[in-house]
């Protein structure tokens, strides 16, 4: 819907409903009705309905206004899947053009493709999934650094999307720990409690994937230096009419500080 607009979706649904009054229908009937529009949404949905898994989209900027995009089935490190799986992926990206926010839409229907994005050569940042597209994404460190610097220009949903995509990119091996941790730290003072909760949980997961005896002391110190001020900000005691997400954040901070960070005050509490 974000890619083609709600009018085309509504028209396809109306065609489907009117074509099967008081009768039975199949998934293919619905897909054929949606395929009557100019964007062939039925063909797009068919791949997501009939194929397992979720696509991971890898992006890279090329000279000029070109954006190279490649898709693969998401797989955590150590797992392999059929490399022949290809989706038709509607994509909406948002990017900066000389201080102005712009959007670009395109359909990735092959394993990889290069798209022309007007003004991309002057973009200070690029948001790879601006409208809740059903795909994970991974970008080079220069992209994530740009998003971190531009975090105040991103919506709360987009900031959560950056951290969520980063977490999956780490588990697939597309993003390195030395790039993931600075990205998390950049959002630690975010005004949205949901974003801060994602930061706290992300830092806790770092231990599962990257921490060894050699770097455990430095990791614990980083947790204490980062998470204790976050805990101080929300307070140790619940406030009256406190949003549930604040309680989740407090619990996550205390747990990570006490177990992974070995913070003496958190252990005492």
């Amino acid at each position: 819907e974000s890619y083609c607009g709600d009018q085309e979706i509504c028209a396809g649904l109306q065609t489907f409903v009117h074509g099967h009054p008081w009768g039975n229908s199949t998934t293919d009937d619905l897909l054929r009705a949606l395929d009557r529009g100019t964007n062939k949404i039925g063909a797009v949905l068919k791949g997501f309905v009939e194929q397992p898994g979720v696509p991971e989209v890898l992006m890279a900027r090329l000279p000029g206004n070109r954006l190279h995009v490649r898709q693969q089935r998401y797989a955590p490190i150590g797992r392999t899947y059929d490399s022949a799986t290809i989706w038709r992926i509607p994509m909406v990206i948002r990017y900066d053009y000389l201080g102005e926010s712009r959007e670009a839409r395109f359909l990735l229907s092959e394993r990889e493709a290069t798209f022309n994005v007007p003004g991309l050569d002057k973009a200070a940042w690029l948001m790879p999934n601006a409208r809740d597209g059903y795909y994970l994404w991974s970008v080079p460190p220069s992209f994530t650094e740009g998003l971190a610097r531009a975090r105040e220009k991103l919506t709360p949903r987009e900031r959560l999307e950056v951290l969520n995509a980063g977490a999956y990119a780490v588990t697939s091996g597309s993003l390195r720990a030395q790039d993931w941790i600075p990205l998390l730290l950049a959002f630690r003072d975010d005004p949205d409690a949901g974003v801060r909760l994602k930061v706290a949980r992300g830092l806790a997961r770092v231990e599962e994937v990257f921490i060894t005896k050699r770097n455990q002391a430095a990791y614990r110190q980083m947790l204490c230096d980062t998470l204790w001020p976050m805990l101080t900000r929300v307070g140790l005691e619940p406030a009256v009419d406190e949003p549930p997400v604040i309680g989740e954040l407090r619990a996550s901070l205390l747990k990570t500080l006490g177990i992974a960070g070995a913070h003496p005050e958190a252990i005492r509490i």
Side-chain angles (χ1 to χ4, degrees), residues 124-151:
W125 54 269
L126 182 152
M127 180 65 207
N129 188 353
R131 293 296 185 92
D132 294 315
Y134 190 70
Y135 57 91
L136 302 172
W137 51 268
S138 178
V139 295
S142 59
F143 274 52
T144 56
E145 291 167 4
L147 286 168
R149 289 192 297 268
R151 57 189 178 275

Side-chain angles (χ1 to χ4, degrees), residues 16 20 23-30:
F16 169 71
H20 302 276
N24 296 325
S25 63
T26 66
T27 301
D28 284 339
D29 292 328
L30 173 60

